[in-house]
Amino acid sequence: MAKASPEWRTAILIGLYTGLRLGDATSLKWEDLDLDVRQYTLKTQKTGRYVINPIAGPLFDYLCELRQGSTGDYVCPTFWGRESKVLSNDFNLLLSKAGLIEKRDYRQYRAEGNRRRYAGLSYHCLLHTLTSLLKSAGAYSAVAG
């Protein structure tokens, strides 16, 4: 987090506390958040399903503070409209700057059918971290994935 810009800190916290994919996290609008009832609602890009989930306490506190200084429609305004693969490469650079991985570029993805393959850290790991934390806390399988 020390190497992350304020906007990346926001995107990382959203990913960690919600499990949202990078494209969903970075296109989240303030209108998707109901801070009065501590929940968010959105239609996911990959599946097209609507989700309504609570906002975890630490993320809620962070978003309330962030909202006070925000004037735009998007929680991460400079990320809006950027392709997920570009943001993913930017996140990879951030991980590299933090010393968590070796620097790589997009050409290190190897196509396998319709899927990319890369066995390193990525933004998607935040979803797995959330799942592990929920299971460690004793959440039911239906909640923890």
Side-chain angles (χ1 to χ4, degrees):
M1 292 295 264
K3 299 289 183 181
S5 68
E7 199 146 3
W8 268 116
R9 280 187 213 116
T10 301
I12 291 166
L13 289 172
I14 290 170
L16 178 63
Y17 285 107
T18 66
L20 290 174
R21 290 179 173 87
L22 181 58
D24 292 327
T26 57
S27 61
L28 197 64
K29 292 182 174 183
W30 286 110
E31 68 186 36
D32 299 329
L33 306 173
D34 187 336
L35 297 177
D36 292 330
V37 294
R38 294 182 174 214
Q39 70 182 21
Y40 66 93
T41 306
L42 73 125
K43 182 178 179 182
T44 62
Q45 294 174 9
K46 183 174 181 178
T47 64
R49 288 188 294 189
Y50 283 92
V51 295
I52 301 171
N53 286 320
I55 301 172
L59 179 59
F60 174 78
D61 294 341
Y62 179 85
L63 291 171
C64 286
E65 189 173 318
L66 184 66
R67 182 68 176 133
Q68 292 176 7
S70 175
T71 57
D73 293 335
Y74 292 89
V75 179
C76 297
T78 65
F79 291 168
W80 181 82
R82 295 178 64 202
E83 290 185 54
S84 291
K85 65 182 176 183
V86 173
L87 290 169
S88 183
N89 285 332
D90 289 350
F91 187 70
N92 175 267
L93 256 163
L94 176 60
L95 292 174
S96 174
K97 288 178 184 175
L100 297 172
I101 62 170
E102 289 186 30
K103 187 177 178 182
R104 67 160 172 84
D105 65 31
Y106 68 93
R107 291 179 292 268
Q108 287 177 286
Y109 281 112
R110 284 182 235 121
E112 291 183 354
N114 291 332
R115 296 183 164 239
R116 294 177 300 179
R117 190 179 125 251
Y118 182 70
L121 291 177
S122 67
Y123 188 87
H124 191 77
C125 293
L126 296 172
L127 180 146
H128 296 289
T129 301
L130 173 63
T131 301
S132 295
L133 291 171
L134 287 170
K135 285 182 178 180
S136 293
Y140 293 105
S141 294
V143 173

